[in-house]
Amino acid sequence: MRFWEIGLIVANFGLLYWAVITNKKGGRGLFIPLGIALSLAIVQIVVEGGRWEMIPAYLTPLLLTAYFFIGKRKEGGKSRIALTVQAVLLTVYLLVSVAPPAVLPVFSFDEPTGPYAVGTTVYHWVDDKRREVYSDNPADRRELMAQIWYPAAEGGGGERSPYLQNASKMTKAISSKMMGLPAFVLSHLGLIKTHALVDAKLSNSGSPYPVLIFSHGMNGYRNQNMYQLEELASHGYIVIAIDYAYEAAASVYPDGRVAVSKTDPNLTSNAQYGMHIPLWTSDAAFVLNQVEKLNQNDAVGRFTGKIDLDRIGMLGHSFGGAVTVQMLKNDSRVKAALSMDGGFYGPPVSDKGFGKPFFMMYADETYSKIMTSYDDVAEQFGGVSREAFEAPRKEYIQKSGYALAGGGLSILIPGSKHASYTDLALFSPLLGLSGTDPRRDHRIVNEFSVAFFDRYLKGKDDSTLQDLAAKYPEVDFKVNN
């Protein structure tokens, strides 16, 4: 909970308990505590932004007014039973007021640890060479929203960026498309600020900078790994995240149009997922083309000549990890790649590996399911045959082994879940998306991510990776042969 939220609840419930215990009724002097209670509610809403989770707390000035002016004070005070009942009811209401904002927090991101401040800017790119496959109009072209985080000059200006631009549209899509929740549930995400400064001046101290392309998961969104994107930018990377239109939760275009996800909710099999790979890899290749154009001639001059096109990496989560694998395999511009609990959809890698640096981060939750044999869960699957159960598992194990062959790196974070590699792990403990310590999971991911790309895009030695392996022995860091 935020500072003024805590202050509002503590002070206003303190006043309510005081009124109940002392049996305050009527009198001009009671306008002072009422003024305090109402003022705190107004200040919290103005300073921090109001949200639906705080509605019970916002009603406390009304409850205080009702208690002060409805009913009469009894001579000799109220009975112990009456006092106890009122105190119990007030305590129940306190719990009702505290629970929603506590379990659906307006969380903050850890401060990036790199030497650079972080800037961010957004682009709307249209690929005139490709039609929009999700449109019935053959004249419609493929449109993508992309956001860039970059090393910013100190004092380079700009306000802190919100976590989500077009927040009302995005929170609605994230709630419904990603989580299957009512549209309003995650509306408070629109109140979250990041550390990045909007349109800040690029720092010249380390340019030209290496580039990283980030791919979200199926029905994800470009900002879903903010904890990681800002961290990488603070360590001297230009990081570009793509909204894969109509297969992201939502993309909001500059004119207000919203490309809401149109993916099949019954998308489950490897073959079905594989059918989406060409669209995403084409999008990623197009974005790389746009990066080249930015380096040649950025309209505002920010990135012109500041991008090192010989040092390009990719990273992705879930389906975005599968896209990253295919880009590393097929696009010579991508020199190193990181997959965070990603799948292996599409054509397999050679059994000798990529011949390029590749890092696979497994979630304990996913890996445990993959390693579960049919015999262990046969009773749960009823009529599902052993062959049908084992086929996707065997395919994953084989493709994973091929991708890691020849020196691929891997870790498995104990207790982690699939969403532990995203911001979703911070949303709410009620959603069951986080491991035992999501902040620690994020630190591990960030430290290994920076070390990996520093090693293979900046040419540093592998001492940092080895130091991290010693620092976090539980993640079982491996160099696979």
Side-chain angles (χ1 to χ4, degrees), residues 358-397:
F358 176 65
F359 194 176
M360 183 71 195
M361 295 182 175
Y362 295 101
D364 197 353
E365 174 187 48
T366 305
Y367 197 79
S368 296
K369 289 179 181 178
I370 292 167
M371 292 299 115
T372 300
S373 70
Y374 180 78
D375 292 330
D376 292 334
V377 293
E379 293 183 2
Q380 300 176 26
F381 287 93
V384 178
S385 68
R386 179 185 295 273
E387 182 179 4
F389 175 81
E390 292 284 357
R393 173 176 172 266
K394 289 180 178 178
E395 181 181 351
Y396 181 94
I397 292 172

Side-chain angles (χ1 to χ4, degrees), residues 146-169:
Q147 187 163 355
I148 302 180
W149 292 265
Y150 53 88
E154 290 293 340
E159 297 180 350
R160 287 178 63 191
S161 173
Y163 178 46
L164 298 171
Q165 297 189 352
N166 302 290
S168 61
K169 297 174 181 177

Side-chain angles (χ1 to χ4, degrees), residues 2 5 48-55 58 100 104-107 162-176 179 181-193 427-428 431:
R2 295 173 292 175
E5 289 178 350
E48 295 179 329
R51 56 185 182 123
W52 70 264
E53 295 92 340
M54 288 289 292
I55 289 176
Y58 296 149
L104 290 168
V106 179
F107 59 85
Y163 178 46
L164 298 171
Q165 297 189 352
N166 302 290
S168 61
K169 297 174 181 177
M170 286 303 302
T171 56
K172 178 180 179 180
I174 293 168
S175 293
S176 58
M179 306 294 185
L181 299 171
F184 73 91
V185 172
L186 297 177
S187 59
H188 65 284
L189 296 179
L191 299 172
I192 295 173
K193 293 286 187 179
F427 282 10
S428 173
L431 297 175

